[in-house]
Amino acid sequence: MNAHYCLTCLESGAELSDETLPLRNPDAKAPALLRTRYHQTRFTPGPPDLGIYRFSDWLPIRRTLAGSCSPITFRSEALASHLGLSQLLITFCGYWPERGARMLTGTFKECEAYSVCARMWANDDRVLVVASAGNTARAFIRVCSDNGIPLVVVVPQRNLPAVWSIGPVAPCVRVIAAAGDSDYSDAIALAAIISDLPGFVAEGGARNVARRDGMATTVLSAVDTTGEIPAHYFQAVGSGTGAIAAWEANLRLIDSGDYGDRKMRLHLSQNAPFAPIHDSWMNRSRDLVPIDEDDARRRIALIGAKVLANREPPYGLRGGLYDALADTGGTTGVVDNETAAAAANLFERLEGVDLEPAAAVAVAHLKAAVEAGQIGASEAVMLNVTGGGYRRIAAELDRRAIAPTCVIERDTFRPDAVSRIMTELFARRTYA
Ligand SMILES: *Cc1c(COP(=O)(O)O)cnc(C)c1O
């Protein structure tokens, strides 16, 4: 199934076969992303019952997995008329059964998990290692548990309330908590140590093409619904991987020859007072603003949308966020907790579903952009509602907390110590 694409290095232009590559760009410090090139250049989605794999022509996968759901897109009436927009498309990931959305972990991180895990060979016995603030953890736990894929997810201990599952979790999944006041970046650091050990493989984040192309299905869903590329794209960003993916989907649709050559303006929002992507783009600089560790910790503690707290977004590298914003005439914005909460209430009242805090940031940004006159009333706007429906999940489904398999202190984040802990952990066949 892997012959349907190859990879292009955005630095050298070289074409690579994906046969033997690791999940991320082999050169972890490479100044450029790899990008997939699919032999099928036309956009020909399959039927909805294939879940995310209805877009498998444009996913770098070797198999399909059980239990996936595609993003859904509909034309908003209530929010659209409230904002005075005639073409507002809401692309939704999460749990909203009436609309056909059944992502049981509540966010668009499922799109990447079903793509990343399907890119791995079925007989790959390495343990996949993923760092997460919570949403990615739930998504990978679900895919790996349901499909028997060995997984270690690393989350900050204080984000553990966000780590839950619907129904039991299979023993092939282990949750490791970075102790105390560790944040997402500490989880990333610990995950990097684990994935360097023999027998483990790093998921790779934005550098994993399957992650980006999985997230690109949000845009594919929108274009499948309307038959055209929207003029504007709104999303709350932490790493910005989803936004890079949206831009890449756009380029792919242009290359198909069937959708014209419009580039959606990316409108990317962050949660004050932690907004390094916004701050960097305000400077119109390819360099990310310097981030002081203590200052970042303090700011991250204050934001409501914890998934937007990424201190190392793929910003300046070739094919990254800076290029995506520059190529699309993009903008960035910043939204405080109160404004996001008000937007969440507005959205729930008008559209009828509760929002993940990050998705509320995007709604608030859209509202502010409309009020500032940045969006024409009749332009097609795609609002990427990256997560929602938690209330219904909690009320209707068998939601269970997941206890960590072990908790590791920050002063133990050393290869020798972590190696000992992992050896001990994997000597036990199951956890509980
Ligand atoms: C991860 C996440 C985001 C941010 O996505 P990035 O690709 O990291 O920028 C936004 N909303 C939700 C609900 C998320 O889980």
Side-chain angles (χ1 to χ4, degrees):
M1 213 168 164
N2 58 318
H4 71 288
Y5 67 96
C6 63
L7 302 174
T8 307
C9 172
L10 297 181
E11 182 71 13
S12 65
E15 294 223 322
L16 309 162
S17 150
D18 195 23
E19 285 296 316
T20 55
L21 286 179
L23 295 177
R24 65 179 174 207
N25 189 330
D27 177 359
K29 293 270 178 262
L33 293 174
L34 299 176
R35 188 181 288 162
T36 38
R37 198 170 62 74
Y38 294 100
H39 301 325
Q40 171 59 276
T41 56
R42 309 286 304 276
F43 177 47
T44 51
D49 61 325
L50 296 181
I52 193 106
Y53 303 114
R54 59 187 304 241
F55 301 116
S56 58
D57 282 352
W58 287 2
L59 290 172
I61 55 174
R62 302 189 161 107
R63 54 177 171 149
T64 61
L65 300 169
S68 78
C69 177
S70 166
I72 57 116
T73 300
F74 63 95
R75 287 180 190 277
S76 163
E77 288 175 12
L79 181 63
S81 85
H82 180 87
L83 295 176
L85 297 174
S86 63
Q87 290 196 73
L88 174 60
L89 304 166
I90 294 181
T91 298
F92 181 87
C93 290
Y95 189 68
W96 197 354
E98 292 76 12
R99 294 256 180 214
R102 292 176 181 277
M103 293 189 188
L104 302 185
T105 70
T107 81
F108 79 156
K109 296 299 195 301
E110 273 192 32
C111 302
E112 64 183 46
Y114 279 100
S115 174
V116 164
C117 293
R119 183 175 171 216
M120 297 177 73
W121 296 105
N123 62 2
D124 192 334
D125 56 7
R126 294 172 303 174
V127 180
L128 182 64
V129 182
V130 179
S132 169
N135 293 353
T136 300
R138 288 196 308 280
F140 276 88
I141 288 169
R142 168 146 191 261
V143 179
C144 291
S145 177
D146 286 356
N147 292 278
I149 298 166
L151 171 73
V152 163
V153 326
V154 185
V155 292
Q157 186 173 25
R158 64 178 179 198
N159 294 24
L160 281 173
V163 182
W164 41 260
S165 76
I166 303 306
V169 173
C172 60
V173 168
R174 292 164 173 90
V175 176
I176 294 182
D181 67 348
S182 294
D183 66 24
Y184 178 46
S185 292
D186 300 305
I188 291 175
L190 177 55
I193 295 172
I194 297 172
S195 59
D196 278 345
L197 301 171
F200 295 86
V201 58
E203 184 265 341
R207 289 173 183 270
N208 186 332
V209 290
R211 188 166 189 159
R212 304 206 307 280
D213 291 358
M215 289 190 153
T217 60
T218 55
V219 171
L220 301 184
S221 157
V223 172
D224 181 42
T225 302
T226 65
E228 63 168 22
I229 298 167
H232 300 277
Y233 173 90
F234 281 82
Q235 194 207 310
V237 293
S239 69
T241 309
I244 298 168
W247 172 52
E248 292 177 321
N250 190 159
L251 296 178
R252 211 160 265 147
L253 288 159
I254 292 174
D255 285 346
S256 78
D258 294 330
Y259 294 89
D261 59 4
R262 176 193 267 171
K263 287 182 185 164
M264 305 182 289
R265 292 188 77 175
L266 301 182
H267 300 278
L268 311 181
S269 42
Q270 297 206 281
N271 193 181
F274 185 71
I277 292 170
H278 170 71
D279 296 342
S280 306
W281 183 243
M282 285 290 103
N283 295 338
R284 290 298 185 274
S285 161
R286 185 177 278 279
D287 297 320
L288 195 68
V289 289
I291 297 178
D292 173 76
E293 184 169 331
D294 291 333
D295 182 52
R297 263 183 223 290
R298 189 182 58 75
R299 289 168 181 271
I300 288 168
L302 295 172
I303 67 175
K306 292 286 186 249
V307 292
L308 303 184
N310 190 312
R311 286 196 248 141
E312 293 146 80
Y315 181 79
L317 80 180
R318 197 170 309 284
L321 266 178
Y322 176 86
D323 285 337
L325 283 163
D327 190 45
T328 64
T331 74
T332 59
V334 61
V335 171
D336 64 28
N337 290 343
E338 271 181 24
T339 311
N345 287 334
L346 178 75
F347 192 92
E348 182 164 6
R349 182 165 60 76
L350 294 174
E351 295 289 349
V353 73
D354 58 295
L355 294 184
E356 210 279 352
V361 167
V363 174
H365 185 209
L366 169 62
K367 184 165 180 286
V370 171
E371 285 164 1
Q374 292 167 4
I375 310 294
S378 60
E379 290 184 294
V381 176
M382 173 180 164
L383 172 64
N384 193 341
V385 176
T386 46
Y390 288 177
R391 224 191 311 283
R392 296 273 302 274
I393 290 175
E396 293 171 19
L397 304 174
D398 175 21
R399 207 189 99 159
R400 307 173 180 197
I402 304 175
T405 318
C406 77
V407 180
I408 301 184
E409 300 293 332
R410 259 214 313 278
D411 61 9
T412 316
F413 289 8
R414 294 186 318 273
D416 57 333
V418 171
S419 169
R420 269 196 303 279
I421 294 169
M422 289 300 124
T423 306
E424 203 253 326
L425 209 65
F426 279 80
R428 283 187 259 148
R429 283 179 58 83
T430 61
Y431 80 90

